[in-house]
């Protein structure tokens, strides 16, 4: 069965610290997609990144970077030089390859609540 | 802003009542998914509509039903409300054929008393 585990429930850091959010997934599929979403207090889930199972290249976008390792079934997210505006709940999610033309459901972790303090 | 709008933003109902939640998808998107997010939990997939037909359903009872209209907006209906239905209901729109990037609205927070 598909499963996403975010072992860190809450993390608190001081501004400018680096922080890594862990994500471990389980799937029997060879083709799948991994996602990270940010949920600020307003409730809207904001898309951060999508990675397919065949692309293990790490990605950097500004202060954000992602480390995908199939060997350990992990897709970790690092925020460098954290800022107060980064405070939110962050979700990791997994999707199987869908039928042609259609999207499939996402399986979500429980989220990691990140508090960045000034 | 994602261009996905949901209404109402907050509502309170009592057990046994029925509720309808509405979602307008982003322009150009023909697929709408609904998720239930209980407090402190990750979203749980309810169902998805693609070109006005249900295309996949999660582990939710039949009293959760939906519709998608020709303009691709959507409704989620919940009958015989139970206390455990209290949650944030999130609508997400996407383009059919894309690989899962979902654009979410801000959700409808339902409280069942």
């Amino acid at each position: 069965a598909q499963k996403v585990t975010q072992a860190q429930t809450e993390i608190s850091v001081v501004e400018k610290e680096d922080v890594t959010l862990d994500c471990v997934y389980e799937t029997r599929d060879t083709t799948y997609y991994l996602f990270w979403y940010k949920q600020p207090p307003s409730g809207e889930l904001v898309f951060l990144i999508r990675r397919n199972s065949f692309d293990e290249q790490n990605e950097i976008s500004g202060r954000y970077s992602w480390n995908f390792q199939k060997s350990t079934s992990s897709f970790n997210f690092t925020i460098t030089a954290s800022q107060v505006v980064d405070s939110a709940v962050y979700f990791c999610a997994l999707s199987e390859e869908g039928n042609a033309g259609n999207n499939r459901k996402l399986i979500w972790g429980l989220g990691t609540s990140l508090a960045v303090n000034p | 802003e994602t261009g996905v709008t949901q209404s109402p933003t907050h509502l309170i109902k009592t057990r046994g009542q029925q509720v309808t939640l509405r979602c307008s998808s982003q322009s150009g998107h023909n697929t709408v998914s609904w998720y239930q997010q209980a407090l402190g939990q990750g979203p749980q997939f309810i169902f998805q509509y693609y070109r006005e037909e249900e295309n996949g359903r999660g582990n939710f009872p039949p009293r959760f039903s939906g519709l998608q209209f020709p303009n691709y907006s959507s409704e989620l209906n919940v009958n015989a409300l139970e206390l455990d239905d209290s949650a944030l209901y999130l609508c997400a729109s996407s383009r059919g054929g894309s690989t899962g990037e979902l654009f979410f609205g801000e959700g409808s927070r339902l409280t069942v008393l």
Side-chain angles (χ1 to χ4, degrees), chain A residues 37 39 44 91 101-103 106, chain B residues 37 48 50 94 97-98 102:
Chain A
Y37 279 83
Q39 188 174 42
E44 183 176 319
F91 289 95
N102 299 328
N103 299 295
L106 296 185
Chain B
Q37 187 179 17
Q48 180 185 84
Y50 172 64
S94 55
S98 65
L102 304 177

Side-chain angles (χ1 to χ4, degrees), chain A residues 2 27 29 31-33 94-98 104-106:
Chain A
Q2 290 185 310
T27 181
D29 295 310
T31 302
Y32 51 89
Y33 298 86
L94 167 69
S95 172
E96 297 173 317
E97 179 178 299
R104 305 306 289 173
K105 66 179 181 180
L106 296 185

Side-chain angles (χ1 to χ4, degrees), chain A residues 11-64:
Chain A
I11 299 176
S12 181
V13 299
V14 176
E15 211 171 11
K16 297 184 183 176
E17 281 186 37
D18 298 347
V19 58
T20 295
L21 310 181
D22 298 332
C23 173
V24 174
Y25 63 92
E26 296 176 29
T27 181
R28 286 174 293 186
D29 295 310
T30 54
T31 302
Y32 51 89
Y33 298 86
L34 294 163
F35 303 80
W36 276 94
Y37 279 83
K38 172 182 180 180
Q39 188 174 42
S42 63
E44 183 176 319
L45 283 157
V46 178
F47 170 82
L48 296 178
I49 190 171
R50 175 187 64 226
R51 173 65 75 230
N52 76 53
S53 51
F54 297 107
D55 182 2
E56 287 193 72
Q57 213 170 17
N58 291 332
E59 179 154 340
I60 298 175
S61 176
R63 297 185 297 107
Y64 295 171

Side-chain angles (χ1 to χ4, degrees), chain A residues 69-95:
Chain A
Q69 293 197 343
K70 283 180 79 169
S71 60
T72 56
S73 296
S74 66
F75 187 42
N76 296 337
F77 172 32
T78 297
I79 302 175
T80 303
S82 60
Q83 299 176 0
V84 172
V85 293
D86 295 328
S87 297
V89 180
Y90 290 85
F91 289 95
C92 180
L94 167 69
S95 172

Side-chain angles (χ1 to χ4, degrees), chain B residues 19-20 22 29 33 35 42-44 51 60 71 74 78 88 98 106 111 113:
Chain B
V19 68
T20 297
R22 295 178 177 84
H29 288 182
S33 304
Y35 287 80
Q44 298 291 316
R51 293 182 176 174
F60 281 81
N71 67 354
S74 177
V78 187
L88 180 68
S98 65
E106 291 193 0
T111 301
L113 302 176

